[in-house]
Each structure stands twice: as structure tokens, then as C-alpha cells.
Amino acid sequence: MAEKKALPLALAAALALTALAGCSDGGNNNANPASGSPAASGAASAQSSAEAPFSYTFLDTVHPTALFGYNNPNDVVTPVVEQKFNVKVSDIVFSAGQSPVERVNMLVAANNLPDVVLVDNPNLSLLYSTGAFADLSEYQNLMVNTDKYVSDTGWNSLKVAGKLVALPTSAMPDAGNPEVAAAMQADIFHRDPVNWAFMLREDILKKLGYKFKTVKEIQAELDQNPRQLTDADLRLDPPIETPEDFEKLLYDIQKLDLKVDGKPVIPLSIPDWGAYHISSLYAPTGGYYANPDTGAVAGFIDNPNMKTYYAKLRQWFKDGVLDKDYLLQKPEQLQQKIASGRVAAMFSVPDTNGARTSLKQLDPEAELRPIPWPKSQYEIETGHASYVDPSYPAGFYNIMINKNVKDIPRLLKYFDWFQTEEAMDLSVWGPESAGLYELKDGVKVFKDQALYEAIRDGKKTADGKNAEYYGIYDKNNTVSTYTSKAFLTAPAPFYNNKTFEHSYPAKFDAWNDMWAFVSTVKLSKDGTVLSPSGEKSNALSNYYWNTFRTSDTAKLLSTKSEAEFDKKWEELKKTFEEKGGYDAAIAEMKPLFDRALGKS
């Protein structure tokens, strides 16, 4: 791979910190100690490691204060892991409100950088340029279980100048691995991450002659036979496969001349920010994009086909198939329009469940139906997919290792265990000695029905207990589904088919599953779409959101002719590039894309 220069990192003035004790050459920092008392009931069931004791210190640059699980005396999972491997986390330090770069700068300058550091992916290059972190390339082959779940794109996103400098956390399971793909396909509880999708009223689709399984019919099928959805479940006949098909749908809705309280039904309404996202009907994405073949980077209105998209937006606006209030209306106004039946197609609803309930009270067939995305004009022309949002295939947060850690191979083998079925099972049920589960018909279930219901519903029992109380898997936890100290300070499982849902009768919500099924394809998993990272790329992004998205878009929509639109487009594009600092922003993003695409 081509060498790229590491960005200079100005170190903060060294602060008087006491040394951190761990497995590196640091000392002992007594700030925010995380000395959770081992739960005796858990430790009893673990087989002790014959290896010498090993400890590491942990820096969490993501959270300003301690997570509950870092110091939970009722944690039944961590003591088992500690005894199994003879490995402990001896101390945990937090971000203290600083950014990841600021926090690491300070600790490197003070020569007190902990052994294991949780960081954000966009800053890997900056952080590695401190010279404080290990090159893990020679140890990657030790991560056998991890590698099974991490795609090549994921590994590339962890490299700087061809060197592996970080480990994945919350990675997207590699669907390109046949073993993983088969497991996820066979797992009826597995759902890919969700993104955005269009919704259409089913009653209006029927008026237009479309044939399809209704949400109600799909729900009945899932109640009878719980399963994952397929393309056939979401299929429309005729299909809406291209931007032209979608545009025709909007004008066909307008021709129905539907009215509510004497006011016309609007074919399409979106929130003011929605135009950025639905640009993927024509362009590769609304933000930063890199061509996977050439590596060429562009962004926002400079992306391919953006002028075509905004010309379409202007035409739809002028013809009334796009809500003329979309740039000005407040969320509650959009909600009222949708809930009262005045909108046929939409991209987002402030309160989807509330709108669905209101519509079905007006007409039982007026269900909001998530529909498959049409293939974008860009994909039709180039073969490359378009996306609504970026994702991080190796996780937005990653783990870096202090280069002074004495036994990196042992540490990485330990981390690799967290992707095993043994780890998955332990994280969900705890050890047998904790007494949380029993076997019924050969399947683990929770002994306490009240505890099960609390874990299932994201609540607490009458005596205040839930999954987090015991340090076990908590699907409703908004910070981390893995809640024990051991799993919070290591790469927790990327995929888990041992979750408690597998032990109980399946009950799926058809609408939520339909949304997930059609929206996940618009989440970039190939490294071609990234979020801004750095002062310059954020400045351009801010200019788009604060100026072009609002006043500049209004200027384009109000042009009286195509010739006036062309002139205004070139004028606004030039201003966008100059005032937004376009060239500097693209230069800042280029190394990140090179890393994500394996071109560095």
C-alpha cells in the first residue's frame, strides 16, 4: 500500500498526573477507580487460568463519566472472565468532557497513557501519529474469531498507511463470509441496522392499481409462522424500480385529485432536512463520497448528478407534487398533515406510530407502508450503489493499544475470545452459579418470570433489578447492550445468536421489520460514504446545512425557468465551494477514504 504522511498532533502541556499501574511501563492513576467487587456466585463456576496474572488499564475517551457497568458490585459476568483468563482491568479513566484527541494528547504528554484506549474511528490517523500506539499488523492473524465477523472493508478502516492500528468494536457482521451470512439468515431474530425509507399509504396505492401484501397480511403471516422477511413480502406490482417510476407515482397520485376537508392530498412531503437524504434517488449520497474505482472524493452539491436532482426537486415543487411548505413547516405541522390524511408519500414522520393510529381510525386501509428504494440514477449509470448515510463496518468506536504493553499477543487472544459462542452465552445468561437461569426442554430460560419480563421490556422488577443490575445482555440499553465491566472494556460480540429471545416464543412486528428490511440497504457498508471528520470537512458540512439547505435551496426552487435555474445553480455552487472551503474539506477527507477503501 502507498505510504501516507501522518498528520502532526500538537501535544497539550503535561499535567501533573500520578502514574497508571498496568501491564505497560506506566504508573498508577487513582482517578475514578473501577474496582467492582467480584460476585462470588459467578467466580465459582469459572475454570482458573494457569497463566500468570495480567492486568491492563483502560481509557474511555467516549464517555465523560463512568458507565454503571464499570463499577457494578452485582456484576456476575466479569468475575468469571477474570478467573478464566487471569486477566483484570485494573483501572479505568474517562474522557472528562474532552474530545478523544484532547484526552489522548494530555495523557501522552504526561506519559500516562493507559494500556487500552477506546477511541473514535475518524481520529485514528491523528491518534496514531502521536507515536504512542502499537502497530498491530503482525498480530492480526491471532484474531481468528474476530476475523470471521469483520469484512475487508472493516479491517481497512482500522489501518493507517497500511498498518493495523486499531481493533474493531460493534463491527457489522461480514455478510460476505458464507458462514456468517448463513448464520444470520438462519437466525430469525437477526436484524440489520436500520436507516431511512419512503412510506406510502396503502389505500392510495390500491387506488392506483398496485398489488401487494398489506402490512396487516404480513403481520398475520408472522404471527402464524415467525420468520425473517423476504423481497417477496415487500414487492409491489408494478415495481417502483427507478427514479422515473417514483416520479410517475407522484404525478399519478396528483391525478387522483384526492381531497381532505376540501384541501388536496399532497403526493410527497418531507421534513426540511429530508432533501439531503432523498438526493440518493439520483446522486451517490448527500454528503461526502468516494468513487470505489478511482478513489476520487467529492461532497454535497458537487457529487455526481446533484444538479439533476435539484432540477427535479424544483420541478416537483413547481408542479405541486412536492409539498410547497416543506422548507418552512415545523415538525408538528408535518405530523398534523400526515395524521389527517393530507399526505400520500413521505420520507419521515415525527411520530410514526401516532400517525399510523390516526390514519387507520380514518380508514382501516390507510396504513403507512415502507417501500423498497428505487435504484438510483447514479447506480443505473455506474453500477455503484447510492446511500443515504455512512456507517462504520468496524464500528464508530475502536480500540487502540499502547505500544508499551508487554504482552500484546496475550491481550489480543483475550480480546478474540469475546467473539466466541462461549462469550456470547455468558454475556446473556451469566454463569450457572449465579442462578439466573434454568433449563426447560433443553433450553435456557430465566428462573424469575418478573426478571425476564423486565429484561424483555426494558424495565425494572419491583425490587429494582434488570439486566444491567447483573451485568448481562440488555437489548434495551441505549448506551451498550453488553453491560459487564469485562465486556465494556473489550470488543463485545459483533453478532450474538444466544440472546434470550431465542429461548422464548417469537413475536415480530411486521411494520418494524419491513422498515428495517427496506432501509438497511441505504446504509453504506463499503467505505464509500463517510461523515465529516476534522475542522475543514465540518466547516463545509455546516455551510451546507446552515446555508445551502435552507436559503440557497429556496433560491433554486423559486427560479422561473430552466435557464434561470442553470445560472443560479452555477452561482450558488461557486459560493458554496468558496465560502464552505470545499477544496480544503476534500483534502481533509481524502486520507480517510483512502484508508476505508484500502487505497492508502
Side-chain angles (χ1 to χ4, degrees):
M1 292 184 178
E3 185 78 14
K4 75 174 178 187
K5 295 181 180 179
L7 298 174
L9 185 61
L11 297 181
L15 300 180
L17 300 176
T18 51
L20 284 166
C23 57
S24 71
D25 294 331
N28 181 16
N29 188 333
N30 58 12
N32 295 309
S35 55
S37 304
S41 64
S45 66
Q47 181 179 354
S48 299
S49 169
E51 294 187 272
F54 182 97
S55 68
Y56 64 90
T57 51
F58 186 82
L59 168 60
D60 179 347
T61 71
V62 175
H63 302 102
T65 56
L67 302 182
F68 177 78
Y70 285 155
N71 191 16
N72 176 13
N74 301 301
D75 181 348
V76 300
V77 173
T78 296
V80 178
V81 179
E82 290 177 343
Q83 187 171 346
K84 177 180 178 66
F85 292 97
N86 216 354
V87 170
K88 287 189 176 184
V89 178
S90 58
D91 199 8
I92 300 177
V93 183
F94 315 100
S95 72
Q98 295 176 301
S99 72
V101 173
E102 290 169 338
R103 188 62 166 149
V104 169
N105 276 353
M106 185 190 72
L107 291 167
V108 169
N111 196 31
N112 280 300
L113 184 71
D115 303 314
V116 176
V117 184
L118 183 68
V119 302
D120 61 331
N121 184 273
N123 282 311
L124 289 186
S125 295
L126 277 169
L127 295 171
Y128 186 66
S129 70
T130 63
F133 293 101
D135 174 3
L136 304 175
S137 304
E138 65 178 299
Y139 309 117
Q140 184 176 342
N141 62 348
L142 299 177
M143 310 288 285
V144 178
N145 297 297
T146 303
D147 186 59
K148 181 168 71 172
Y149 293 103
V150 180
S151 66
D152 290 343
T153 300
W155 285 117
N156 288 337
S157 72
L158 300 171
K159 293 179 180 179
V160 172
K163 299 176 181 178
L164 181 67
V165 304
L167 301 176
T169 67
S170 303
M172 291 186 173
D174 181 12
N177 180 333
E179 179 185 353
V180 174
M184 292 190 297
Q185 190 172 17
D187 181 1
I188 65 172
F189 292 94
H190 174 72
R191 299 294 180 272
D192 288 322
V194 301
N195 196 235
W196 297 101
F198 284 106
M199 289 168 280
L200 282 164
R201 294 243 309 265
E202 288 189 337
D203 59 324
I204 294 177
L205 282 171
K206 288 179 180 179
K207 290 180 188 297
L208 292 171
Y210 285 88
K211 307 296 183 184
F212 51 87
K213 283 186 190 177
T214 65
V215 174
K216 184 177 180 179
E217 288 168 343
I218 295 173
Q219 184 65 64
E221 288 187 12
L222 295 182
D223 290 343
Q224 182 69 27
N225 178 30
R227 58 178 174 80
Q228 289 195 14
L229 298 183
T230 67
D231 288 325
D233 294 311
L234 278 296
R235 185 174 298 140
L236 295 173
D237 181 18
I240 303 171
E241 294 181 320
T242 67
E244 288 76 14
D245 293 337
F246 184 77
E247 183 178 60
K248 180 180 182 299
L249 168 72
L250 299 183
Y251 283 95
D252 286 346
I253 293 171
Q254 187 180 53
K255 290 174 186 176
L256 290 175
D257 196 26
L258 301 173
K259 298 282 198 305
V260 173
D261 295 331
K263 297 178 181 179
V265 171
I266 303 163
L268 174 65
S269 190
I270 59 177
D272 64 331
W273 48 264
Y276 167 89
H277 292 294
I278 68 172
S279 66
S280 62
L281 284 167
Y282 291 88
T285 194
Y288 289 108
Y289 175 76
N291 183 292
D293 294 332
T294 66
V297 178
F300 300 96
I301 65 170
D302 279 56
N303 280 331
N305 292 347
M306 271 299 186
K307 183 178 179 182
T308 300
Y309 165 65
Y310 276 93
K312 285 290 185 184
L313 207 65
R314 170 190 169 273
Q315 189 65 46
W316 296 350
F317 184 83
K318 174 178 172 290
D319 292 345
V321 297
L322 173 64
D323 191 347
K324 289 183 179 292
D325 296 330
Y326 97 85
L327 276 174
L328 302 174
Q329 66 189 353
K330 297 178 180 179
E332 55 268 27
Q333 293 172 313
L334 176 60
Q335 178 72 24
Q336 193 279 331
K337 282 182 183 176
I338 294 171
S340 65
R342 288 202 56 224
V343 179
M346 62 225 67
F347 178 71
S348 174
V349 186
D351 177 5
T352 304
N353 288 333
R356 290 175 62 207
T357 299
S358 295
L359 283 169
K360 283 185 282 187
Q361 288 173 348
L362 298 173
D363 181 348
E365 292 191 343
E367 174 66 275
L368 296 183
R369 178 187 187 83
I371 66 166
W373 277 87
K375 186 176 290 187
S376 75
Q377 190 63 36
Y378 182 74
E379 183 173 359
I380 292 169
E381 294 171 355
T382 68
H384 298 312
S386 294
Y387 299 107
V388 170
D389 281 320
S391 70
Y392 291 82
F396 183 78
Y397 300 125
N398 304 135
I399 283 176
M400 300 182 79
I401 309 296
N402 189 320
K403 68 180 182 181
N404 294 321
V405 169
K406 295 177 181 177
D407 195 346
I408 291 178
R410 181 175 175 184
L411 182 62
L412 265 58
K413 289 178 183 177
Y414 167 73
F415 284 161
D416 191 52
W417 172 80
F418 287 86
Q419 307 308 321
T420 65
E421 291 196 355
E422 180 185 13
M424 296 172 194
D425 187 83
L426 177 65
S427 71
V428 175
W429 301 102
E432 182 179 5
S433 55
L436 298 180
Y437 70 87
E438 61 186 350
L439 291 177
K440 285 190 176 180
D441 300 322
V443 176
K444 289 182 179 179
V445 295
F446 288 106
K447 287 183 178 179
D448 185 344
Q449 179 67 16
L451 177 62
Y452 160 65
E453 291 175 0
I455 293 173
R456 180 195 64 194
D457 300 334
K459 299 178 181 179
K460 291 185 177 182
T461 60
D463 57 354
K465 295 177 181 177
N466 60 2
E468 189 176 43
Y469 176 89
Y470 291 107
I472 58 178
Y473 173 84
D474 184 356
K475 74 167 188 172
N476 296 297
N477 194 300
T478 58
V479 177
S480 175
T481 53
Y482 295 94
T483 65
S484 69
K485 179 181 176 182
F487 281 73
L488 287 168
T489 53
F494 309 144
Y495 168 70
N496 194 339
N497 61 6
K498 304 293 183 182
T499 59
F500 69 86
E501 297 98 330
H502 293 78
S503 294
Y504 294 88
K507 175 66 175 176
F508 297 140
D509 183 289
W511 196 95
N512 287 333
D513 284 0
M514 292 171 72
W515 178 271
F517 189 88
V518 301
S519 70
T520 190
V521 299
K522 282 297 183 176
L523 193 62
S524 169
K525 305 175 181 74
D526 60 5
T528 60
V529 178
L530 294 177
S531 298
S533 176
E535 181 181 354
K536 302 295 191 299
S537 54
N538 272 296
L540 181 67
S541 177
N542 289 337
Y543 187 89
Y544 170 85
W545 285 103
N546 296 331
T547 303
F548 191 89
R549 175 184 64 94
T550 54
S551 59
D552 286 358
T553 298
K555 293 173 185 176
L556 289 171
L557 297 180
S558 63
T559 53
K560 304 300 184 185
S561 65
E562 292 183 11
E564 184 182 347
F565 171 84
D566 291 342
K567 182 179 179 181
K568 182 60 69 174
W569 175 265
E570 295 305 323
E571 173 191 320
L572 294 175
K573 183 170 177 287
K574 181 179 180 181
T575 304
F576 171 80
E577 292 170 347
E578 291 176 351
K579 291 190 175 181
Y582 183 82
D583 290 343
I586 296 302
E588 187 173 71
M589 292 298 297
K590 185 67 165 67
L592 299 179
F593 278 110
D594 286 346
R595 178 158 57 84
L597 297 174
K599 296 180 182 293
S600 62

